[in-house]
């Protein structure tokens, strides 16, 4: 049981963490901190948080940061990643020895660098994390108590972290029914550059490419369900993905270069009418994707009692 | 009312055309022609076709091609596009003056070139077409009577076609509740290179790229719903997309080059930490996609009686 949890940013990610912990009976008190007084008031009205904390001067019954953090077992940063360093710097002077801090950012190497700058030797109390959960809606009203059920949460522990502190973060996410994975920050960023950040960049690039053509209206008229699925991620927040692209720049550049090299090979095969070469790439992709989907579906489907033996 | 329709390839596309025409009461007799005797027998058993025709020697009650085509109002080619020229050549000697031929291929310039070679002056009777409908399943059992409801069918009429012949094809598709669009073969191929063929190539390339990495298993483990949607089209038939890529090679190369130029610009912005440049591309894409989805949804949703005035 956590006595007190402080959440910076009570939107879909932070608010759902709060609701899930509460549903599991895993927390006594939740304090929310955010830049928008309206959002915080709404989060309290919805019962997601018990009290509101503020950076800077306290007002209207909101707690100063020192009081908000006093006696906290766990602090979750779930505000936009661009605010991470400033939030950590505001926390640093008030951070007590018994408090563990974690985050929910989509990139990790840059967050670790920010944490080292902002927290100094207290970085040992910071356990970086990344819950892999959808982000198409936001705000306190989007928060639900089952967002993390069966979802992966990647923790990228630092050499300075104690196993007790890492376990406190892991246990909180497990109380939300999430599944804990552990990677280094560098592994994390390489993996997500390949399977998430690059696809976003590619989808944005394609839609922008088409939208800028003089006959864009004609093109969009004939775009069908395949195009719709391929470009769904280009409907995501441009600001958030700008920040993620820049935050994970080295790994994303490496993945983009590998992909452009692959396109150069495919272009040469196409130009040479090399059907066998194209088919090899297409077949390998179809086969790999089929195996992946089969593995996902097997993991999602509990074994049927009829078939068990 | 069509007296007799002959369909080459009675799978999802051809079989659904047959079922839809029959449901509309728009046809008296349907003859199916295909390379697989088993599929043809199944199509007849399912009531999709009334009789079976064969190229070459007739056997087991199947009609020789001359008889199958005798008195036909309309012939639809719905076999794999690689067979188009051979089928047209087999039809040519038996093609009567009153018969109109159309096809369902995903590319049009190459089909037109095949038709000119195979049919000679009879190419005037060939009206190229492309129904925009899903192809994830196949075979006669996949055929349904509402596949084309509200779907677009692009006709790319030739200068040689009479308006009467074009109208016969258009009327048959309208009987299937499809919506007729008209483009030139060249326009068609440019449009579909951009909104369909290029996205397929890009999705295949990404999955192949990831699958070939030494840590592919780790990567696939963290691929989530965004990746799943982005790569859905990489689950399509590699043979079919190899054929489409080659058939539409010039237009696809042009689109691929434009896209690679776009990626080169984005790569430079990323390398220079140009957040404003990245955000402009991402925002333009998100905005254009939002407008497109809004337009689609408005077209799909009938006006509410409450809101009409």
């Amino acid at each position: 049981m956590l006595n007190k949890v402080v959440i910076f940013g009570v939107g879909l990610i932070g608010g759902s963490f709060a609701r899930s912990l509460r549903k599991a009976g895993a927390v006594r008190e939740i304090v929310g901190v955010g830049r928008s007084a309206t959002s915080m008031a709404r989060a309290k009205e919805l019962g997601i948080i018990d009290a509101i904390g503020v950076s800077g001067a306290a007002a209207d019954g909101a707690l100063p940061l020192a009081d908000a953090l006093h006696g906290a077992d766990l602090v979750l940063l779930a505000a936009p990643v661009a605010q991470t360093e400033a939030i950590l710097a505001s926390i640093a002077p008030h951070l007590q020895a018994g408090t563990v801090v974690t985050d929910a950012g989509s990139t990790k190497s840059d967050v670790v660098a920010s944490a080292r700058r902002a927290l100094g030797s207290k970085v040992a109390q910071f356990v970086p994390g990344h819950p892999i959960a959808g982000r198409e809606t936001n705000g306190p009203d989007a928060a639900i108590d089952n967002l993390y059920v069966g979802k992966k949460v990647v923790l990228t522990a630092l050499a300075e972290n104690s196993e007790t502190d890492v376990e406190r973060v892991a246990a909180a996410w497990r109380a939300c029914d999430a599944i804990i994975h552990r990677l280094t920050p560098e592994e994390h960023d390489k993996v997500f550059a390949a399977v998430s950040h690059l696809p976003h960049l590619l989808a944005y690039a394609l839609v922008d490419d088409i939208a800028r053509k003089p006959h864009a209206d004609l093109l969009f008229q004939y775009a069908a369900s395949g195009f719709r699925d391929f470009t769904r991620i280009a409907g995501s927040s441009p600001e958030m993905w700008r920040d993620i692209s820049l935050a994970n720049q080295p790994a994303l550049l490496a993945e983009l270069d590998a992909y452009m090299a692959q396109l150069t090979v495919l272009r040469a095969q196409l130009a040479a009418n090399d059907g066998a070469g194209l088919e090899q790439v297409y077949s390998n992709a179809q086969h790999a994707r089929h195996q992946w989907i089969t593995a996902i579906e097997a993991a999602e489907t509990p074994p049927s009692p009829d078939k068990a033996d």
Side-chain angles (χ1 to χ4, degrees), chain A:
Chain A
M1 167 72 85
L2 295 160
N3 195 51
K4 183 175 180 181
V5 170
V6 181
I7 301 175
F8 285 75
V10 191
L12 175 69
I13 297 299
S16 295
F17 183 70
R19 282 200 184 279
S20 305
L21 285 180
R22 221 189 268 286
K23 185 186 179 192
V27 62
R28 258 195 205 95
E29 182 189 4
I30 302 177
V31 180
V33 186
R35 294 203 297 191
S36 158
T38 317
S39 282
M40 288 301 115
R42 179 66 182 152
K44 196 175 169 195
E45 182 180 288
L46 290 166
I48 299 174
I49 56 175
D50 302 301
I52 300 171
V54 286
S55 305
D60 289 343
L63 301 166
L65 211 49
D67 295 348
L69 292 166
H70 183 77
D73 302 302
L74 185 65
V75 175
L76 171 72
L77 271 58
V81 279
Q83 298 173 31
T84 302
E85 190 161 345
I87 293 173
L88 288 172
S90 73
I91 290 174
H94 313 294
L95 191 58
Q96 297 176 312
T99 306
V100 181
V101 182
T102 187
D103 79 311
S106 303
T107 54
K108 295 273 69 77
S109 301
D110 69 308
V111 164
V112 170
S114 295
R116 290 193 190 285
R117 283 191 298 267
L119 297 177
S121 64
K122 288 184 178 173
V123 79
Q125 292 168 250
F126 180 68
V127 180
H130 176 200
I132 319 300
R135 305 202 178 196
E136 283 166 37
T137 53
N138 217 332
D141 286 279
I144 51 178
D145 66 12
N146 60 357
L147 181 67
Y148 302 112
V149 176
K151 295 295 194 312
K152 295 183 181 74
V153 172
V154 182
L155 299 184
T156 65
L158 307 178
E160 293 92 332
N161 294 151
S162 71
E163 263 309 308
T164 317
D165 284 359
V166 176
E167 178 51 31
R168 188 182 299 172
V169 176
W173 283 114
R174 274 192 225 105
C176 304
D177 288 324
I179 299 154
I180 300 297
H181 287 241
R182 293 183 62 170
L183 295 172
T184 67
E186 296 71 27
E187 283 170 343
H188 172 281
D189 287 356
K190 279 186 192 173
V191 165
F192 288 89
V195 301
S196 171
H197 310 169
L198 178 63
H200 276 79
L201 183 147
L202 299 178
Y204 281 127
L206 183 73
V207 180
D208 179 66
D209 184 34
I210 288 177
R212 284 175 195 277
K213 288 182 199 276
H215 55 306
D217 287 350
L218 180 70
L219 295 174
F220 280 121
Q221 193 179 346
Y222 293 100
S225 64
F227 183 85
R228 188 171 181 155
D229 285 349
F230 183 85
T231 62
R232 184 177 68 79
I233 49 183
S236 312
S237 157
E239 298 78 16
M240 176 175 152
W241 284 94
R242 173 203 63 199
D243 290 346
I244 290 174
S245 302
L246 294 176
N248 200 19
Q249 190 230 45
L252 181 54
L253 276 178
E255 291 302 326
L256 180 55
D257 286 344
Y259 184 74
M260 288 174 76
Q262 162 87 321
L263 287 188
T264 302
V265 171
L266 270 171
R267 194 210 179 276
Q269 289 173 329
L270 184 61
N273 281 301
D274 177 4
L278 288 178
E279 188 181 347
Q280 198 175 0
V281 172
Y282 293 4
S283 284
N284 187 46
Q286 191 224 24
H287 180 71
R289 188 176 188 280
H290 180 73
Q291 283 199 310
W292 172 61
I293 293 284
T294 306
I296 290 176
E297 286 173 354
E300 283 171 356
T301 312
S304 153
D306 293 344
K307 289 182 185 163
D309 61 359

